[in-house]
Amino acid sequence: MARLFGTDGVRGLANGPVVTAETAMSLAVAAAHVLRDAEPAAGRRPKAVVGRDPRASGEFLSAAVVAGLASAGVDVHDVGVVPTPAVAFLTADLDADLGVMLSASHNAMPDNGIKFFARGGHKLPDAVEDAIEARMGEVGERPTGAAVGRIVPMVDGATRYITHLLAAVPHRLDGLHVVIDAAHGAASQVSPEVFRLAGATVDVIGASPDGLNINDGYGSTHLEQLRAAVVDRGADLGIAHDGDADRCLAVDASGTEVDGDQIMAILALALKDRGQLHEDTLVATVMSNLGLLNAMTAAGVTVKQTAVGDRYVLEEMRASGHSLGGEQSGHVIMLEHGTTGDGVLTGLFLASRVAETGRSLAELAGVMTRLPQVLVNVKGVDKDRVEADAGVQEAVATESAALGDGGRVLLRKSGTEPVVRVMVEAGTQEHAREVADRLAGVVRERLAL
């Protein structure tokens, strides 16, 4: 039987075969038991924070989660529609035993997901997720009478999160003109408000959620609207979130995209200048562009690389105490200020660096040169043999040797489907495509099902 949890919680078609009200309730009860048993609340009843993005399905799924938690004797602070990092922050701020976020992040509206946070606002390790899954459907102790959990709407949750963000901003944004694209998602109110409070002049697009339009033509996976708005309105920069605002991408004044690698480069140098980049080290994944590694080496910054997924970046950061890490997709973690990727916080720090230096975002992003990158998904193959197959590995070694220092090859198996991902970076897009296509052909031939 396939594992229920993926790389970022449980995700799929809402009301489909996996993400149902029944699953949500069962997961909530099991999570309450597992996390409570692992870290019993000292002298009080356990409590949880529950939030969601604006998807229509989040209404019934959050109701199911809240019901499951309360039935297991957990007091629930229902914060409503807020970004994922707000749930993580509030879980820590309230010293709650767990947090739950209902969101499918950047996925289209029909999908939804269930993410859990442990005490302190940290994502769950694989072992805890496996323990929760194993206990689903168990008939455990059911509290009655005064022992059942109580449900309280948390009306000040967004305000507390905004106050936290403002306290973290290193330099005010006075004089900056920023366009915010909120993807019709969870940050539609929070992000524009906090940028205004930090001093920026703010125009807003993609901030009219109706439950059905999340990520639809707006947000970090659809930058066209933001590019046009920044140029048309003469803004200094644009910030794009995804549906749950745990990621941030940007565009400069000319409408050119600034991706997660470039954002990390800018923030790494800013923190290094302030003496706040722990051991002058940045944590990134193996998918980060070679241009980031080259730029950081030139600037005296070490880059540690992890498996793909912000949870693995965070695990490395927590283990080593490093202060900055993230992914090319725009998940950026600043451990001093948050326990997970925070798109609003990232956007604030990026805009703050522009205001602090008086340099344009384009100039700041120029610290690194992105190598052309091609990603090919090879479907219908035995992904589990990719590392052991001698023919595949020989082809990778040959192509890598030919690229030398001017490029890079990475093959990895998907965590959610029978796919091998072939990523190639080279001096030109054409060269990268040629190499990727050759390697994809070898994978298809050698690993065909």
Side-chain angles (χ1 to χ4, degrees):
M1 180 177 171
R3 187 173 187 266
L4 184 61
F5 284 90
T7 55
D8 197 13
V10 178
R11 190 179 299 186
L13 178 65
N15 230 20
V18 176
V19 184
T20 64
E22 294 84 357
T23 299
M25 182 176 290
S26 183
L27 276 169
V29 172
H33 291 160
V34 168
L35 294 177
R36 184 176 57 192
D37 291 349
E39 296 186 70
R44 62 167 173 81
R45 203 151 59 181
K47 59 183 175 182
V49 176
V50 177
R52 64 181 181 88
D53 71 23
R55 293 167 208 265
S57 59
E59 297 168 4
F60 76 80
L61 288 171
S62 63
V65 166
V66 168
L69 292 171
S71 75
V74 178
D75 289 336
V76 179
H77 295 266
D78 188 352
V79 71
V81 176
V82 293
T84 289
V87 172
F89 164 73
L90 292 168
T91 300
D93 196 46
L94 292 175
D95 192 27
D97 298 272
L98 68 154
V100 188
M101 179 69 183
L102 286 303
S103 176
S105 191
H106 60 280
N107 287 27
M109 183 278 295
D111 287 351
N112 215 323
I114 307 167
K115 305 180 187 182
F116 290 96
F117 295 95
R119 186 177 293 164
H122 295 285
K123 289 186 176 180
L124 305 184
D126 291 345
V128 177
E129 290 181 341
D130 290 340
I132 291 172
E133 189 169 341
R135 293 185 67 168
M136 288 177 65
E138 273 188 9
V139 180
E141 179 184 352
R142 296 189 178 186
T144 58
V148 300
R150 304 299 298 272
I151 302 166
V152 180
M154 191 176 182
V155 296
D156 66 340
T159 300
R160 293 173 71 148
Y161 174 58
I162 288 171
T163 300
H164 156 69
L165 292 173
L166 288 172
V169 178
H171 193 282
R172 284 188 57 82
L173 311 184
D174 302 279
L176 279 189
H177 182 183
V178 180
V179 179
I180 303 291
D181 180 351
H184 296 307
S188 292
Q189 293 185 353
V190 165
S191 189
E193 181 175 355
V194 74
F195 270 83
R196 291 189 183 106
L197 289 172
T201 297
V202 179
D203 286 337
V204 186
I205 63 174
S208 301
D210 61 8
L212 307 177
N213 60 359
I214 190 169
N215 298 319
D216 186 7
Y218 287 86
S220 59
T221 53
H222 303 280
L223 292 177
E224 299 82 8
Q225 302 280 2
L226 182 60
R227 289 192 185 102
V230 168
V231 173
D232 291 347
R233 303 178 195 193
D236 296 298
L237 69 152
I239 298 295
H241 304 303
D242 59 341
D244 68 337
D246 65 351
R247 71 170 69 180
C248 165
L249 294 181
V251 301
D252 65 24
S254 70
T256 300
E257 177 184 349
V258 178
D259 72 8
D261 284 341
Q262 292 168 297
I263 290 171
M264 286 191 289
I266 293 168
L267 297 186
L269 296 187
L271 292 176
K272 185 173 185 289
D273 286 349
R274 300 186 195 110
Q276 297 173 346
L277 186 66
H278 182 257
E279 294 184 342
D280 288 343
T281 297
L282 169 68
V283 181
T285 77
V286 293
M287 288 298 289
S288 277
N289 194 278
L290 182 59
L292 174 64
L293 278 64
N294 292 340
M296 293 297 93
T297 298
V301 174
T302 300
V303 180
K304 286 188 176 180
Q305 291 186 281
T306 73
V308 175
D310 63 328
R311 63 187 298 169
Y312 302 114
V313 172
L314 179 58
E315 286 175 5
E316 173 61 32
M317 292 176 68
R318 292 181 66 189
S320 57
H322 295 309
S323 49
L324 179 68
E327 297 185 282
Q328 188 181 68
S329 60
H331 285 104
V332 177
I333 304 168
M334 286 173 276
L335 204 53
E336 182 180 348
H337 306 291
T339 58
T340 189
D342 190 329
V344 183
L345 182 68
T346 301
L348 286 168
F349 266 68
L350 188 64
S352 176
R353 186 60 170 173
V354 173
E356 178 185 14
T357 61
R359 300 165 67 190
S360 70
L361 180 56
E363 186 179 356
L364 292 172
V367 68
M368 69 163 279
T369 300
R370 284 183 294 186
L371 270 70
Q373 187 180 84
V374 170
L375 179 66
V376 177
N377 292 322
V378 186
K379 300 180 180 180
V381 294
D382 184 355
K383 64 180 182 181
D384 294 322
R385 290 197 292 119
V386 66
E387 295 175 357
D389 187 272
V392 170
Q393 294 307 314
E394 181 181 353
V396 169
T398 299
E399 297 290 1
S400 296
L403 287 169
D405 294 336
R408 182 168 73 110
V409 171
L410 175 67
L411 266 66
R412 68 180 186 90
K413 62 183 181 181
S414 167
T416 58
E417 54 186 329
V419 166
V420 171
R421 307 196 194 283
V422 179
M423 189 276 287
V424 176
E425 293 168 349
T428 67
Q429 192 77 15
E430 294 75 15
H431 191 189
R433 171 59 65 181
E434 290 172 4
V435 174
D437 286 343
R438 281 198 297 269
L439 285 172
V442 174
V443 171
R444 289 189 190 95
E445 179 182 350
R446 302 281 305 185
L447 306 182
L449 290 172

